[in-house]
Amino acid sequence: MALCLGTKRNGERCTASVEAPLTHCWWHDGKNSEQRKRAASRGGKSKPSRVSRDLHKLLEDLTARVVAGHLEPYPAAVAGQLVGVRLRLLEYERRVREQDELVGRLEELEEQIAAEKNSEGRRPWSA
Ligand SMILES: [Zn+2]
């Protein structure tokens, strides 16, 4: 059993234990960098979605038409309500995505812990 050769973000040596022939833990293994990037980008740091841009355009258009007198206030109010409903739906979808990602990370951690427990059991000096 050896320690990961990686360095944590704060500059300290990583304390995760790794099994030979591995020299780095999952987080520091270069092979997983693409996966880590994908996990990070799923974490709410993405740029505005196409739907969000479409909603902006629709709201701008509705506002301009009401102000110019081309659209009656009543249909405009209904359109505003529908946009509000859609925003709540988007928020709901975002929460579901976030939850999925958290569950995925949790499962990874559980697998890591289980793997560490198994390797501890194989130590010749363990009780
Ligand atoms: Zn590490």
Side-chain angles (χ1 to χ4, degrees):
M1 185 76 80
L3 284 184
C4 166
L5 297 178
T7 311
K8 293 195 279 191
R9 266 177 224 199
N10 62 7
E12 285 172 22
R13 173 79 180 271
C14 179
T15 52
S17 49
V18 289
E19 293 255 16
L22 293 181
T23 53
H24 290 79
C25 72
W26 191 87
W27 295 100
H28 289 118
D29 191 331
K31 281 194 306 235
N32 299 319
S33 66
E34 276 307 306
Q35 245 177 300
R36 279 199 305 274
K37 254 184 251 166
R38 279 203 300 277
S41 71
R42 281 199 305 267
K45 284 170 230 151
S46 55
K47 53 189 175 180
S49 68
R50 194 183 58 78
V51 175
S52 172
R53 286 199 303 272
D54 286 351
L55 283 176
H56 272 292
K57 279 185 87 170
L58 178 62
L59 282 170
E60 272 170 33
D61 182 51
L62 284 171
T63 306
R65 280 156 66 185
V66 171
V67 170
H70 297 315
L71 187 63
E72 292 296 317
Y74 178 70
V78 172
Q81 281 171 13
L82 289 172
V83 168
V85 170
R86 196 151 178 205
L87 284 176
R88 285 203 297 279
L89 179 64
L90 286 171
E91 173 61 19
Y92 166 78
E93 287 171 349
R94 190 184 65 78
R95 282 205 307 270
V96 168
R97 273 198 309 275
E98 248 177 29
Q99 214 158 24
D100 282 351
E101 195 208 324
L102 284 175
V103 167
R105 285 185 173 182
L106 200 63
E107 281 169 355
E108 268 163 21
L109 283 173
E110 281 172 348
E111 277 167 26
Q112 240 177 13
I113 289 168
E116 275 170 31
K117 271 189 188 156
N118 283 341
S119 61
E120 271 165 26
R122 283 201 299 276
R123 279 178 188 170
W125 60 84
S126 68

